[in-house]
Amino acid sequence: MHAREHVQLAAYLAVHAPAYLRGNVTYSPTALEHYWISSKCRLDRWGIRLKTHTQLLESGSPMDFPRFWNAARPVIEEILVSDILTRVWISVCVAHDRIQRENIAEPVARSVFLGHMEARNRALNLLLHGRGLEATMMVPLNRLRRRTERWTDMLLGYIAADTDVNSFGYDQARVREFGNDIRSERGSSNKNASWTMLLETALEAFGSQLVSEPANADLNRDIASAVMTSFGDDLFSHNTLVNPMWESRIIHLADDTQQLVEQLLTLETPIIDQPRSVSPRISFPA
């Protein structure tokens, strides 16, 4: 699974989760645990790749820099793009716990959120200070960073219309502005229409601009599967889209926690030089 599909999942959650959470919602401890373990595995993989890349830049020859950066690009893009779902998901978990007056989902999601913030800061620091990064790669990556920030704040606006989650955005004033627009138009808007528009815009914004080969397809799939089953199946029961993200619902979460733990303890250093094969008032980020 590619990180761009996590944007689709984040958009669906932002539109549909707030109202759903006000109902009689049950949570899955297994799914929440699976989310934490899968995310922790991915964070550790990111850390290994970024550390390896830094060491190569420090000791390598300038003529090898383009190859090193091409190998690191999928990881950097994945860190930036998947941050959208990480921030939307912790906002959903905060909303759930406040509505249900519990403290169950937020601590798990917050642990992952803090780890993702650290990984993102390391990736951005590498882009800023890493040797040999050419403008032909720096410019689109910086453009991607700005796009993910705008999309995060816009999607959080859907949740902020019901629950104060501004602090998880990049620009709290922008989150509040989106939230106010969404709240004022809620009565006349159709959720399915909003979701369809979001999906189409997300596909355009995060489509061909990203490298085709994801850095961690397996863990991206596991994280999406855990998110989609953490609060029961009803949230996604009316979705009729046919794409790999929704097909991940058939993946069973039981009995594989031990395998993920073993993977977490035996992570291998990757080979870096392997060749890479709505409402009219609401404006969607480009």
Side-chain angles (χ1 to χ4, degrees):
M1 174 176 285
H2 201 287
R4 69 170 63 95
E5 295 177 86
H6 279 193
V7 182
Q8 300 173 39
L9 176 55
Y12 187 92
L13 287 169
V15 173
H16 294 278
Y20 174 78
L21 292 175
R22 290 195 293 270
N24 186 19
V25 178
T26 59
Y27 76 96
S28 168
T30 301
L32 289 173
E33 180 184 23
H34 189 91
Y35 172 77
W36 185 89
I37 293 174
S38 300
S39 298
K40 178 62 175 177
C41 286
R42 191 176 64 173
L43 288 170
D44 284 357
R45 285 189 189 177
W46 287 344
I48 291 173
R49 292 290 297 272
L50 293 177
K51 181 179 180 180
T52 301
H53 180 60
T54 301
Q55 293 172 343
L56 288 170
L57 292 178
E58 291 175 350
S59 59
S61 169
M63 65 184 308
D64 291 326
F65 287 166
R67 178 165 57 89
F68 294 159
W69 280 107
N70 284 330
R73 182 169 182 170
V75 178
I76 296 173
E77 287 187 349
E78 188 171 271
I79 292 172
L80 295 176
V81 175
S82 61
D83 189 47
I84 299 175
L85 177 59
T86 297
R87 290 173 183 262
V88 169
W89 181 239
I90 187 177
S91 300
V92 170
C93 290
V94 167
H96 167 271
D97 284 5
R98 290 179 182 176
I99 292 172
Q100 302 297 328
R101 297 182 180 181
E102 297 174 330
N103 189 34
I104 296 171
E106 179 181 352
V108 176
R110 186 175 295 276
S111 175
V112 175
F113 169 66
L114 294 176
H116 202 138
M117 284 183 62
E118 180 181 356
R120 185 177 184 274
N121 289 337
R122 290 181 62 185
L124 294 179
N125 186 67
L126 187 60
L127 291 177
L128 186 62
H129 300 291
R131 299 171 61 198
L133 179 58
E134 299 179 354
T136 54
M137 184 177 297
M138 179 61 177
V139 171
L141 286 175
N142 190 49
R143 188 181 298 119
L144 177 65
R145 174 191 63 81
R146 294 198 303 268
R147 184 180 300 123
T148 58
E149 291 174 359
R150 292 194 300 270
W151 266 84
T152 298
D153 291 345
M154 186 267 291
L155 293 179
L156 289 180
Y158 283 88
I159 304 172
D162 293 286
T163 305
D164 182 11
V165 293
N166 298 338
S167 61
F168 299 117
Y170 291 99
D171 185 334
Q172 295 189 27
R174 186 164 56 187
V175 175
R176 286 193 295 270
E177 182 179 354
F178 276 120
N180 290 336
D181 284 350
I182 292 166
R183 189 183 301 111
S184 64
E185 298 291 342
R186 176 169 289 163
S188 59
S189 63
N190 181 282
K191 288 186 178 180
N192 289 329
S194 298
W195 153 241
T196 301
M197 187 179 301
L198 277 173
L199 174 60
E200 293 175 352
T201 312
L203 291 174
E204 180 179 353
F206 298 95
S208 59
Q209 293 87 346
L210 305 178
V211 294
S212 58
E213 188 68 23
N216 296 285
D218 56 338
L219 294 177
N220 292 339
R221 178 204 62 208
D222 292 343
I223 290 168
S225 179
V227 165
M228 296 174 72
T229 53
S230 288
F231 298 132
D233 292 334
D234 290 343
L235 178 57
F236 296 92
S237 61
H238 300 297
N239 178 68
T240 58
L241 294 178
V242 179
N243 63 49
M245 180 178 67
W246 308 116
E247 292 173 3
S248 69
R249 290 185 61 197
I250 66 175
I251 300 173
H252 298 291
L253 298 178
D255 301 326
D256 60 357
T257 300
Q258 183 61 38
Q259 179 181 355
L260 282 170
V261 172
E262 292 175 357
Q263 180 184 16
L264 177 62
L265 297 176
T266 59
L267 290 174
E268 297 180 353
T269 302
I271 301 174
I272 60 92
D273 57 353
Q274 182 176 357
R276 292 188 292 115
S277 343
V278 125
S279 161
R281 291 182 58 193
I282 302 171
S283 58
F284 300 116

